[in-house]
C-alpha cells in the first residue's frame, strides 16, 4: 500500500528507536492520533486495543481526566523548577513521601530522574560513590543477567543483556558482568527440574563472585519479572538464594521495578511477588502512568548517610538532571499513586490475573506457541519452529514481527521481543476488553501460522 501523507512525512523526518530501519519505508509507520481508555486510534480513525500500555507504562490507559486535571493545575501553578542547590517544591516532596510510604523496604531518600535509564545509570554511580565513601574503592563491578533490560545509556545498555544493545555500539563497558538468565524453558539442561536449574545457576553466580572477588563487586541488578528480554518469570526459590549470596558477599541488590512497579504483577512491587527485599530500587513508567516522563531511585539509610559524610569531606554531591523531579511529572505521579490506591489497582490486577492466565494458557495448544508465561497482567508468548524440541525460528524470518503486524491488522497493538510476543495491557482493562484482546491475538497467530506454512517470510 502506498504511504499516506503523514506516513511519508514521518519516514522523511524521524529516526525511529528499535525499528528495522531498512523496512520502514515499505511497511510504513503506524501514526497514532489519540487515545481513550485502553484504545488508541490512528490518523485514519482505526481503533487498536493498546495491549502493551505503550511501552509497559500507560497503566491507567488514555484520557484519564483526573491525571489531565492534575497536569493542568501544576502547569499553571509552577511549570518548572528543580531541586539543585537545595531548592524544593511541593509536588516533588509529596511524591517522595508517598514513595517512601509504599516502598517495599525502608527508604531514606528519593532521587529523581527523567527516565528508567537515568534511574539505573544513577544506581551505578551511587553504588560507586557509596563504595568510595566507605573506603572500598576496588568494589565497583556490577552484575547483571543475560536477557536483562535496564536501559540504553552507555552504562545501562551495558547492563542490558541483549545483543542488539551491544553489537556495533562497542558495548558493554568494562566492569559489567552478565550471569545466567533465570529462564527454565530456554536455559535448563535436558531433564533438569526447576529446583536443579535454580541450584545450578545460583551456584554459577556464586562461582562468578568468587572468581572475580567479592571485594571488586558493588552491586547486582535485576528486574523481578524480566520484561524486554521476553517476559521471563524466574522459578521459585531463585531470588531467595540470590539474596542470600549477595548478602553474604556485601553486594547491593538493585531492584529494577521500571516495568514491575505499581501493581503490574499483582502487588505494588515485583519484588513482593517474587519474594525478595532489595537494598535500593529504580522506578519510572507507571510512576506517572506515562502521562509525563519521570524516574526515581529509592535510597536506603546506610547509602544516604555515607553520602552525607562524603559531602562533608568533598563538598557538593555532584549528580543531578535538569528535569529530575520535574513538577509536572511529580504532580502527575502523586495523582497516579492516589488513583492506584483509591481504585485499588492491585486488587483489580489480582482479580483479572486468573482470566489473563487462562486465556494465555489456551494459546499453549497453538502450533506456533512453544511456551507462555504470566504474572499479574504481564505475559509472554514464545513462538517456536518446533514445539517438541523447542527449536527457535531463524531470527532472519522475523516471525515475531510478522505476528505483531498481524495483530495490528486485527486492531491490537502488541510487541514482538524477538519471537516472544509481550502482552501488558492497561491495568484498568475490563474483562470483556481482555477477552477481545486475546480473540484478536488468536486470529493473528493463525494468520502468522499461515505465513509460516506458506514459507512467505524472509
Ligand atoms: N528498566 C527496565 C526494566 C525497562 O523495561 C526499561 C524500559 N523499557 C528501562 C529500564 C529504561 O527505561 P527508559 O526507557 O525510561 O529509559
Amino acid at each position: 500500500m502506498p504511504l499516506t501523507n503523514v506516513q511519508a512525512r514521518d519516514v522523511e523526518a524521524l529516526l525511529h528507536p528499535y525499528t528495522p530501519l531498512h523496512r520502514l519505508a515499505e511497511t510504513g509507520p503506524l501514526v497514532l492520533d489519540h487515545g481513550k481508555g485502553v484504545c488508541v486510534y490512528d490518523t485514519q480513525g482505526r481503533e487498536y486495543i493498546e495491549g502493551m500500555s505503550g511501552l509497559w507504562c500507560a497503566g491507567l490507559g488514555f484520557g484519564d481526566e483526573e491525571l489531565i486535571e492534575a497536569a493542568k493545575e501544576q502547569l499553571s501553578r509552577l511549570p518548572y523548577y528543580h531541586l539543585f542547590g537545595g531548592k524544593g517544591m511541593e509536588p516533588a516532596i509529596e511524591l517522595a513521601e508517598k514513595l517512601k510510604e509504599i516502598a517495599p523496604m525502608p527508604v531514606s531518600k528519593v532521587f529523581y530522574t527523567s527516565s528508567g535509564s537515568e534511574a539505573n545509570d544513577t544506581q551505578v554511580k551511587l553504588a560507586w560513590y557509596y563504595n568510595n565513601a566507605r573506603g572500598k574503592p576496588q568494589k565497583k563491578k556490577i552484575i547483571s543477567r543475560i536477557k536483562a533490560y535496564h536501559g540504553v545509556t552507555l552504562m545501562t545498555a551495558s547492563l542490558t543483556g541483549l545483543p542488539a544493545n551491544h553489537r556495533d555500539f562497542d558495548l558493554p563497558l568494562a566492569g559489567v558482568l552478565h550471569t545466567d538468565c533465570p529462564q527454565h524453558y530456554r536455559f535448563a539442561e535436558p531433564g533438569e527440574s526447576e529446583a536443579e536449574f535454580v541450584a545450578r545457576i545460583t551456584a554459577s553466580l556464586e562461582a562468578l563472585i568468587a572468581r572475580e572477588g567479592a571485594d571488586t563487586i558493588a552491586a547486582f541488578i535485576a528486574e523481578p519479572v524480566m520484561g524486554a528480554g521476553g517476559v521471563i518469570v524466574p522459578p521459585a526459590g531463585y531470588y531467595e538464594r540470590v539474596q542470600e549470596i549477595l548478602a553474604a558477599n556485601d553486594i547491593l541488590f538493585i531492584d529494577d521495578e521500571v516495568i514491575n512497579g505499581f501493581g503490574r504483577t499483582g502487588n505494588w512491587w515485583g519484588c513482593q511477588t517474587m519474594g525478595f527485599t532489595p537494598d535500593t530500587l529504580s522506578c519510572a513508567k507507571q510512576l506517572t502512568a506515562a502521562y509525563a516522563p519521570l524516574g526515581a531511585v529509592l535510597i536506603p539509610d546506610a547509602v544516604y548517610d555515607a553520602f552525607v559524610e562524603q559531602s562533608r569531606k568533598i563538598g557538593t554531591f555532584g549528580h543531578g538532571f535538569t528535569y529530575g523531579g520535574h513538577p509536572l511529572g511529580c504532580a502527575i505521579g502523586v495523582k497516579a499513586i492516589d488513583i492506584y490506591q483509591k481504585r485499588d489497582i492491585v486488587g483489580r490486577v489480582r482479580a483479572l490475573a486468573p482470566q489473563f492466565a487462562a486465556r494465555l494458557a489456551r494459546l499453549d495448544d497453538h502450533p506456533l506457541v512453544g511456551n507462555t508465561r504470566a504474572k499479574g497482567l504481564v505475559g509472554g508468548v514464545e513462538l517456536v519452529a518446533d514445539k517438541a524440541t523447542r527449536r527457535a525460528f531463524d531470527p532472519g524470518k522475523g516471525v515475531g514481527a510478522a505476528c505483531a503486524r498481524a495483530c495490528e491488522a486485527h486492531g491490537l497493538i502488541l510487541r514482538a521481543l524477538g519471537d516472544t510476543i509481550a502482552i501488558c495491557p492497561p491495568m484498568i482493562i475490563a474483562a470483556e476488553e481482555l477477552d477481545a484482546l486475546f480473540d484478536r491475538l488468536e486470529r493473528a497467530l493463525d494468520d502468522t501460522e499461515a505465513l509460516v506454512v506458506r514459507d512467505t517470510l524472509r
Side-chain angles (χ1 to χ4, degrees):
M1 267 214 298
L3 299 188
T4 62
N5 183 37
V6 70
Q7 284 179 314
R9 282 173 46 223
D10 176 300
V11 170
E12 206 48 43
L14 293 177
L15 168 57
H16 281 265
Y18 287 103
T19 299
L21 300 175
H22 61 295
R23 289 211 184 139
L24 189 62
E26 173 197 324
T27 53
L30 174 62
V31 184
L32 283 321
D33 180 68
H34 62 284
K36 190 76 204 154
V38 300
C39 291
V40 288
Y41 300 81
D42 69 15
T43 47
Q44 313 275 78
R46 275 189 295 255
E47 178 184 281
Y48 304 85
I49 297 177
E50 225 312 344
M52 270 303 289
S53 303
L55 291 173
W56 333 76
C57 50
L60 294 173
F62 301 85
D64 186 292
E65 287 302 333
E66 282 192 79
L67 291 172
I68 294 166
E69 230 9 81
K72 280 187 191 163
E73 211 175 290
Q74 186 57 45
L75 282 176
S76 44
R77 179 186 293 271
L78 184 68
Y80 174 70
Y81 221 80
H82 61 82
L83 303 170
F84 281 41
K87 305 287 191 303
M89 54 185 147
E90 179 63 29
I93 300 165
E94 195 180 345
L95 181 59
E97 288 169 346
K98 282 196 173 249
L99 285 170
K100 286 180 66 166
E101 199 181 293
I102 62 175
M105 78 289 189
V107 171
S108 172
K109 301 291 179 278
V110 173
F111 180 87
Y112 292 116
T113 68
S114 321
S115 67
S117 296
E118 288 177 359
N120 288 330
D121 214 70
T122 293
Q123 290 279 14
V124 174
K125 287 183 74 178
L126 297 191
W128 289 352
Y129 194 80
Y130 173 55
N131 282 344
N132 286 332
R134 64 181 181 138
K136 298 192 176 188
Q138 303 308 317
K139 203 167 165 66
K140 295 290 165 58
K141 293 174 196 161
I142 313 286
I143 304 177
S144 179
R145 299 177 295 184
I146 291 161
K147 292 207 176 199
Y149 192 92
H150 298 297
V152 292
T153 60
L154 287 172
M155 179 46 83
T156 59
S158 298
L159 296 174
T160 291
L162 298 167
N165 297 87
H166 294 169
R167 199 191 304 132
D168 294 341
F169 286 112
D170 293 6
L171 296 175
L173 298 177
V176 172
L177 308 167
H178 286 95
T179 191
D180 299 79
C181 174
Q183 184 187 17
H184 182 266
Y185 176 74
R186 270 281 156 236
F187 297 107
E189 305 283 0
E192 195 175 40
S193 71
E194 285 199 343
E196 288 162 350
F197 174 64
V198 165
R200 176 168 63 80
I201 65 172
T202 54
S204 138
L205 172 64
E206 255 185 315
L208 173 70
I209 294 169
R211 204 161 56 239
E212 298 283 333
D215 56 346
T216 71
I217 301 169
F220 171 88
I221 184 165
E223 312 154 74
V225 172
M226 299 172 77
V231 190
I232 295 160
V233 184
Y238 169 75
Y239 282 115
E240 233 166 75
R241 184 70 196 115
V242 167
Q243 180 149 23
E244 282 170 5
I245 294 168
L246 300 181
N249 289 284
D250 184 29
I251 294 171
L252 286 173
F253 196 154
I254 303 171
D255 179 11
D256 181 346
E257 295 272 355
V258 170
I259 287 179
N260 286 227
F262 306 98
R264 176 57 63 190
T265 66
N267 285 289
W268 272 96
W269 305 102
C271 64
Q272 294 162 332
T273 301
M274 299 308 297
F276 67 91
T277 308
D279 296 300
T280 75
L281 183 155
S282 298
C283 59
K285 296 195 192 265
Q286 295 195 143
L287 171 59
T288 60
Y291 279 53
L294 188 72
V297 176
L298 311 191
I299 299 163
D301 274 322
V303 173
Y304 182 71
D305 292 347
F307 289 1
V308 176
E309 279 316 301
Q310 191 72 349
S311 202
R312 218 184 293 287
K313 281 186 244 152
I314 65 172
T316 193
F317 171 66
H319 181 62
F321 301 97
T322 298
Y323 298 126
H326 194 290
L328 177 63
C330 288
I332 293 172
V334 167
K335 181 53 77 180
I337 293 178
D338 178 45
I339 293 173
Y340 297 145
Q341 286 174 327
K342 71 186 182 201
R343 295 191 204 157
D344 186 20
I345 288 295
V346 167
R348 255 196 94 76
V349 170
R350 286 187 186 181
L352 284 168
Q355 181 192 351
F356 186 77
R359 288 297 307 251
L360 201 61
R362 218 165 93 174
L363 303 179
D364 281 328
D365 294 333
H366 195 279
L368 282 192
V369 175
N371 181 250
T372 59
R373 50 254 180 188
K375 256 310 162 205
L377 278 185
V378 59
V381 182
E382 187 160 338
L383 310 182
V384 292
D386 187 324
K387 281 168 87 91
T389 63
R390 305 183 178 185
R391 183 167 56 83
F393 283 108
D394 165 6
K397 281 194 184 296
V399 175
C403 184
R405 282 198 298 278
C407 287
E408 269 180 31
H410 288 289
L412 171 64
I413 296 182
L414 293 179
R415 186 139 178 256
L417 310 164
D419 288 338
T420 295
I421 306 299
I423 314 170
C424 184
M427 300 183 293
I428 53 158
I429 195 165
E432 317 79 71
E433 291 169 329
L434 195 56
D435 272 331
L437 183 160
F438 278 100
D439 292 345
R440 292 176 194 191
L441 173 56
E442 284 177 1
R443 274 176 241 141
L445 281 169
D446 290 344
D447 292 354
T448 311
E449 190 202 352
L451 293 174
V452 169
V453 170
R454 276 189 264 128
D455 201 19
T456 49
L457 295 166
R458 273 170 286 170

